[in-house]
Amino acid sequence: MNDAAPLSADHHRHRARAGVGFGLAAYGLWGILPVYFKMVADVSPFDIVAHRVVWSMVLLGLGITLFGRWAVVRAAIADRRSIRLLAVTATLIAGNWLLYVHAINSGHILAGSLGYYLNPLANILLGRFLLSERLTRLQWLAVALAGAGVAVLAAGALETLWISLTLCFSFAFYGFFRKGIAVDSVTGLTIETMMLFPLATAWLALGLADGRAALGDDAATFGLLASAGVLSTAPLLLFTEAARRLRYSTVGMLQFIAPTLQFLLAVFIYGEPLRQAHIAAFAAIWIALALYIASSVHAARRVPLPE
């Protein structure tokens, strides 16, 4: 009888450690994705996204078949509300991917990282105004500071602000709509990819017919493009395992790893210019995120561990 509690605590600690490991791997991979996109920078962003869809469909199809989950996929497709919402999320994520690849390969990794730093704060606003969730004073202060950072950027680096805001809100609305769909993440991603697959294959086929190097100029480039499926699905599966094992607030804190790595790559590896407007904006948003994390930690401490 006396051993039950320690065993239960050990079990939760082991799950949490595993969850942190999965989360670090997922966000670490997302954070270094700019390196991959730079390696295929000579390929059109439309072609890169098309390959991402096609090869993701291959891997997801194999996975769904291997684990016998086609019945779950068919049930989700039969739900009219779910399929309408998944059509919206497929459009949002495709647009997000396309703009992100364009941002990286046009030398705007900083703008991309800023967009994903802003994402959790955008989620707070969507929760407040679309889901009527209450905000703490720290969360309101975080939003205000982030708004000030965006205003500074608008004054000093307006030409890339649209990239940051579009990436931020397209992904925020993607998460908002996915939250309302009663399907798991892998099933949802499979259906989204199925929706995009005909467009992606048609685009690549038209490129080949027009003489465009839609499959890459050489075998090495084709191999890199084909690896887009693994690079797309692996972080998502790792993230799913992390989310199952961790509090949502902990997952929320881990998500800042990816834009931090992108920021470091932009400045120290790819030599993107760091203007005063960038410094002021990032400083405001980092302080805002610190407040957001403090609020999340405070809220998490008030929620007991599951038994």
Side-chain angles (χ1 to χ4, degrees):
M1 294 291 290
N2 293 335
D3 293 337
L7 285 173
S8 178
D10 287 342
H11 173 72
H12 288 304
R13 281 194 291 268
H14 177 74
R15 276 180 62 86
R17 283 195 295 269
V20 169
F22 285 125
L24 289 173
Y27 285 111
L29 285 173
W30 275 324
I32 62 173
L33 263 182
V35 176
Y36 166 75
F37 291 127
K38 287 289 190 183
M39 294 173 71
V40 291
D42 291 336
V43 181
S44 159
F46 286 95
D47 289 343
I48 294 173
V49 171
H51 278 280
R52 187 172 185 173
V53 170
V54 168
W55 296 108
S56 292
M57 188 69 257
V58 172
L59 286 177
L60 289 166
L62 288 173
I64 293 293
T65 301
L66 181 63
F67 292 101
R69 293 183 58 83
W70 282 112
V72 177
V73 173
R74 287 193 293 271
I77 292 174
D79 185 332
R80 291 185 178 180
R81 179 180 180 277
S82 293
I83 207 67
R84 285 196 298 266
L85 287 175
L86 284 168
V88 173
T89 58
T91 302
L92 285 169
I93 199 62
N96 182 275
W97 287 347
L98 187 60
L99 180 57
Y100 183 57
V101 175
H102 166 74
I104 291 171
N105 288 348
S106 61
H108 298 306
I109 301 175
L110 276 177
S113 70
L114 176 62
Y116 290 115
Y117 272 126
L118 286 170
N119 181 250
L121 302 171
N123 289 338
I124 291 175
L125 289 176
L126 291 181
R128 172 62 184 88
F129 293 107
L130 297 183
L131 299 176
S132 300
E133 295 176 354
R134 297 184 65 181
L135 301 187
T136 66
R137 291 180 181 178
L138 278 179
Q139 287 175 329
W140 275 121
L141 182 57
V143 171
L145 280 171
V150 171
V152 170
L153 203 63
L158 184 61
E159 69 275 12
T160 60
L161 180 61
W162 71 275
I163 294 176
S164 302
L165 294 180
T166 304
L167 286 174
C168 168
F169 282 102
S170 62
F171 199 70
F173 275 105
Y174 173 79
F176 171 78
F177 286 115
R178 280 298 300 268
K179 183 180 176 67
I181 305 173
V183 297
D184 64 89
S185 60
V186 176
T187 300
L189 179 64
T190 300
I191 296 172
E192 289 169 347
T193 308
M194 289 171 65
M195 291 176 172
L196 297 171
F197 184 76
L199 293 173
T201 52
W203 175 263
L204 293 177
L206 285 173
L208 290 173
D210 291 341
R212 191 179 75 246
L215 301 182
D217 293 322
D218 50 46
T221 303
F222 175 75
L224 286 170
L225 291 171
S227 67
V230 174
L231 293 173
S232 296
T233 56
L236 177 69
L237 295 176
L238 290 166
F239 168 79
T240 302
E241 291 302 313
R244 289 176 54 202
R245 291 167 169 80
L246 297 173
R247 289 172 169 155
Y248 196 66
S249 58
T250 305
V251 175
M253 285 181 273
L254 288 175
Q255 73 179 303
F256 302 124
I257 293 171
T260 299
L261 289 174
Q262 293 163 14
F263 175 87
L264 295 173
L265 284 172
V267 176
F268 296 107
I269 302 298
Y270 296 112
E272 289 190 17
L274 190 62
R275 305 177 186 174
Q276 288 186 343
H278 285 123
I279 295 171
F282 275 105
I285 290 164
W286 285 330
I287 295 171
L289 292 177
L291 294 174
Y292 167 82
I293 290 171
S295 176
S296 298
V297 169
H298 178 70
R301 286 175 176 170
R302 298 170 61 183
V303 178
L305 282 170
E307 297 181 2

